[in-house]
């Protein structure tokens, strides 16, 4: 077909961007575009960007620099910037980077086809509105089969928490939940197309409150409804805020068969003084009590978290409180970051911690986390876990999947294929994964 055009999307940042990139590809399928993995053959390149830390935002500008050559070779190539950098700095990008033809914020993806039409007429297009219509309602060009046995499904977007360090409330806007019937419809559709595990996404996913059938649905209620979908084997959700960890959600972790024993629950710091300055709305003790209740409901749950070191005014004693909290909780894994100044956020105006202090604290924190991670992985050796296989491994005959606890697990098997769920006996623990053998298929 002569008029099939090719779209290359490069995705940065969080899982919600991964989800959004898929939806953008579907929106553009309606405008005659097929996706390519090769930027050199693309008619349009979209960078789906992240603004969370300075480094994330800088990547966009260096990528645009690299794309200049392609655009010189192929003047018809259209280059677009989507995502959180587009929302935060879209107009500036347009001004500073003449090669950018299109800027689209996270709430306007459904308008991409009309924007593309404007480009074909020789113009440029920018849309960083927060429209009231549901962008997902208009995105209906779904491929016949899903991309694999696992999928993300956005149920909630935006954030009203305004942590003092964070850009998300500005780039994603106010908290909005999708109606439960839409979510369930999309989940059934995914399962029909071969998906066996769904991860519900939201910047504050546990604050979900969808209006359905005249009632207010909590995330727990939504999870129980998903639990009834035949063919769906596993449910996960991310990311949660400690303040929204409701009783029914904690109970679901103990009772809902398809809800997996893994919870990502960021705390950011173990110091009450810093938590207050971060505007987190909870203390370290609140968090520890919450962890106790979650473990009472589901003793084997694997916990993960996010930590920021070197937040303005963080002293060595504050940092020590964070290490103590980590030691008390015992994480299966965790993400940690040096505080990065974000223009426009309250903490950007405060007295900053020197870079070398941040680096040194990060090293100490990461050493503690990696010991905990190693211990958690080694505790799996000899146990039987269920694994959902996703893709071939690096070695021939190997296949890789995820356990209930989200550990990567390798198995050598000539018969297993992506989408299979099997019982695996864990034989050993490596740097970032486990290996095992099939116990019973
Ligand atoms: N909505 C989620 C995730 C937000 S971004 C939540 O509330 O947990 C993911 C993580 O990035 C945050 O949990 C935080 O640890 C980190 N982060 C956010 N802003 C940051 C900043 N300015 N500097 C360093 N890390 C930051
Ligand atoms: Fe950012 Fe805080 Fe909202 Fe998470 S809860 S997205 S860290 S403002
Ligand atoms: Fe980044 Fe936006 Fe996600 S800032 S972390 S892409 S919500």
């Amino acid at each position: 077909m002569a008029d099939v055009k090719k779209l290359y999307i490069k995705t940065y940042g969080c899982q919600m961007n991964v989800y959004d990139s898929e939806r953008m590809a579907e929106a553009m399928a309606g405008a005659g575009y097929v996706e390519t993995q090769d930027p050199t053959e693309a008619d349009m390149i979209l960078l789906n960007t992240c603004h969370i830390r300075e480094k994330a935002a800088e990547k966009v500008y260096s990528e645009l620099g690299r794309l200049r050559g392609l655009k010189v070779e192929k003047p018809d190539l259209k280059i677009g910037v989507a995502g959180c950098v587009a929302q935060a700095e879209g107009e500036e990008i347009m001004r500073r980077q003449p090669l950018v033809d299109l800027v689209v914020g996270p709430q306007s993806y459904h308008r991409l086809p009309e924007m593309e039409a404007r480009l074909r007429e020789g113009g440029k297009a920018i849309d960083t509105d927060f429209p009231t219509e549901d962008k997902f309602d208009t995105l209906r060009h779904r491929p016949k089969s899903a991309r694999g046995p696992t999928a993300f499904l956005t149920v909630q977007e935006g954030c009203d928490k305004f942590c003092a360090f964070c850009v998300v409330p500005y780039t994603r806007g106010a908290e909005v939940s999708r109606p439960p019937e839409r979510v369930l419809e999309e989940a059934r559709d995914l399962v029909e197309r071969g998906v066996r595990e769904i991860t519900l996404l939201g910047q504050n996913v546990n604050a979900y409150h969808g209006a359905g059938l005249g009632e207010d649905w909590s995330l727990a209620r939504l999870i129980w409804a998903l639990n009834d979908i035949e063919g769906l084997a596993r449910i996960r959700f991310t990311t949660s805020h400690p303040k929204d960890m409701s009783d029914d959600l904690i109970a679901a972790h103990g009772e809902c068969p398809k809800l997996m024993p893994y919870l990502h629950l960021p705390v950011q710091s173990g110091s009450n003084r810093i938590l207050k300055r971060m505007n987190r709305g909870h203390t370290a003790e609140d968090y520890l009590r919450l962890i106790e209740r979650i473990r009472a409901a589901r003793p084997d749950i694997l916990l993960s978290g996010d930590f920021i070191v070197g937040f303005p005014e963080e002293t060595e004693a504050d940092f020590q409180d964070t290490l103590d909290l980590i030691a008390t909780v015992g994480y299966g894994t965790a993400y940690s970051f040096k505080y990065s100044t974000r223009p426009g956020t309250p903490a950007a105006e405060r007295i900053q911690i020197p870079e070398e202090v941040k680096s040194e604290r990060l090293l100490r924190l990461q050493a503690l986390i990696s010991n905990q991670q190693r211990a958690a992985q080694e505790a799996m050796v000899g146990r039987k876990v269920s694994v959902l296989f996703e893709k071939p491994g690096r070695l021939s005959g190997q296949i890789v999947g995820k356990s209930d606890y989200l550990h990567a697990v390798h198995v050598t098997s000539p018969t297993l294929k992506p989408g299979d769920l099997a019982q695996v006996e864990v034989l050993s623990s490596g740097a970032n994964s486990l290996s095992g053998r099939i116990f019973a298929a």
Side-chain angles (χ1 to χ4, degrees):
M1 276 195 303
D3 55 353
V4 168
K5 288 165 284 179
K6 294 199 170 152
L7 172 68
Y8 174 80
I9 307 182
K10 184 160 183 175
T11 308
Y12 302 84
C14 63
Q15 290 147 323
M16 195 172 282
N17 266 6
V18 175
Y19 177 85
D20 285 343
S21 289
E22 292 177 8
R23 301 295 80 74
M24 285 196 268
E26 289 165 15
M28 293 302 282
Y33 279 82
V34 294
E35 245 191 300
T36 172
Q37 303 307 317
D38 177 3
T40 62
E41 62 167 36
D43 299 289
M44 180 183 252
I45 294 179
L46 282 177
L47 306 181
N48 192 10
T49 62
C50 174
H51 201 244
I52 201 79
R53 284 166 289 273
E54 198 179 347
K55 274 210 183 98
E58 275 170 2
K59 279 187 196 159
V60 182
Y61 289 95
S62 40
E63 184 66 26
L64 287 173
R66 277 193 292 273
L67 290 177
R68 194 167 295 131
L70 266 185
K71 181 109 173 177
V72 169
E73 276 170 38
K74 201 171 170 182
D76 284 345
L77 171 67
K78 303 294 178 208
I79 295 180
V81 179
C84 290
V85 178
Q87 189 63 44
E89 305 176 2
E91 289 180 17
E92 197 189 329
I93 296 176
M94 270 291 189
R95 259 200 322 274
R96 276 178 43 190
Q97 296 280 354
L99 83 165
V100 174
D101 302 289
L102 174 149
V103 164
V104 59
Q107 305 308 338
S108 306
Y109 296 152
H110 53 299
R111 296 178 176 166
L112 267 171
E114 353 162 349
M115 296 174 79
E116 190 268 348
R118 243 177 290 155
L119 300 189
R120 270 188 287 127
E121 286 159 13
K124 295 209 173 202
I126 180 162
D127 191 336
T128 51
D129 287 354
F130 288 103
T132 48
E133 73 264 17
D134 182 348
K135 65 178 170 182
F136 299 120
D137 273 0
T138 49
L139 302 180
R140 296 203 173 271
H141 297 275
R142 306 221 100 183
K144 278 209 174 57
S145 60
R147 293 175 187 233
T150 65
F152 295 128
L153 200 176
T154 293
V155 302
Q156 178 278 336
E157 201 171 340
C159 181
D160 297 335
K161 298 270 189 307
F162 291 93
C163 298
F165 48 81
C166 184
V167 293
V168 171
Y170 312 97
T171 62
R172 293 275 167 173
E175 206 179 287
V176 179
S177 294
R178 293 177 69 196
E181 55 271 25
R182 283 282 110 75
V183 174
L184 293 169
E185 184 191 356
E186 187 167 332
R188 281 188 214 103
D189 176 63
L190 285 167
V191 171
E192 268 167 32
R193 294 188 295 126
V195 167
R196 305 204 66 192
E197 172 180 307
I198 292 179
T199 302
L200 305 176
L201 298 181
Q203 265 90 38
N204 267 296
V205 72
N206 58 343
Y208 177 84
H209 54 91
L213 310 167
E215 288 177 52
D216 201 15
W217 285 50
S218 66
L219 185 67
R221 180 161 175 195
L222 188 63
I223 288 169
W224 278 106
L226 288 163
N227 190 66
D228 289 339
I229 297 179
E230 211 178 309
L232 181 64
R234 293 169 154 193
I235 305 163
R236 304 181 187 278
F237 60 89
T238 198
T239 298
S240 300
H241 192 286
K243 271 178 71 178
D244 296 313
M245 208 62 213
S246 57
D247 294 345
D248 59 349
L249 191 55
I250 295 174
H253 270 293
E255 293 161 6
C256 183
K258 293 180 185 173
L259 183 59
M260 292 292 103
Y262 176 97
L263 180 64
H264 182 64
L265 196 60
V267 62
Q268 315 298 352
S269 169
S271 154
N272 287 338
R273 204 176 70 89
I274 295 298
L275 286 169
K276 192 149 193 224
R277 283 166 166 69
M278 286 178 163
N279 191 32
R280 288 287 295 178
H282 60 79
T283 63
E285 293 74 25
D286 294 335
Y287 183 80
L288 292 173
R289 264 193 302 275
L290 188 57
I291 297 291
E292 269 176 31
R293 288 172 54 218
I294 294 163
R295 282 200 166 126
R298 182 76 201 227
D300 62 336
I301 198 159
L302 191 139
L303 294 166
S304 88
D306 289 348
F307 295 92
I308 294 179
V309 303
F311 186 75
E313 299 167 49
E314 184 188 72
T315 63
E316 176 60 28
D318 292 320
F319 177 64
Q320 198 58 51
D321 287 345
T322 302
L323 296 181
D324 290 347
L325 178 138
I326 294 172
T328 307
V329 172
Y331 288 93
T333 184
Y335 305 87
S336 47
F337 314 97
K338 287 192 265 186
Y339 169 71
S340 169
T341 313
R342 307 312 291 128
T345 60
E349 311 297 324
R350 301 183 193 160
I351 299 162
Q352 303 295 318
I353 301 291
E355 201 52 34
E356 59 279 12
V357 175
K358 290 189 203 170
S359 303
E360 188 266 339
R361 286 182 189 162
L362 188 67
L363 279 179
R364 279 194 281 158
L365 187 146
Q366 288 183 337
L368 178 57
I369 295 285
S370 75
N371 281 339
Q372 293 191 341
Q373 181 171 333
R374 194 171 327 116
Q377 278 185 208
E378 271 159 16
M380 301 307 296
V381 176
R383 285 183 55 183
K384 290 171 192 74
V385 289
S386 96
V387 176
L388 175 60
F389 290 96
E390 292 176 23
K391 56 181 186 221
R394 261 183 298 133
L395 307 178
S396 109
Q398 230 183 25
I399 181 158
V400 193
K402 295 275 167 61
S403 75
D404 292 0
Y405 306 95
L406 212 56
H407 285 125
V409 183
H410 302 258
V411 164
T412 302
S413 160
T415 49
L416 283 171
K417 51 188 191 317
D420 287 345
L421 198 60
Q423 289 295 113
V424 170
E425 180 185 359
V426 180
L427 298 174
S428 66
S429 162
N432 280 307
S433 64
L434 305 171
S435 45
R437 66 166 172 234
I438 296 302
F439 184 68

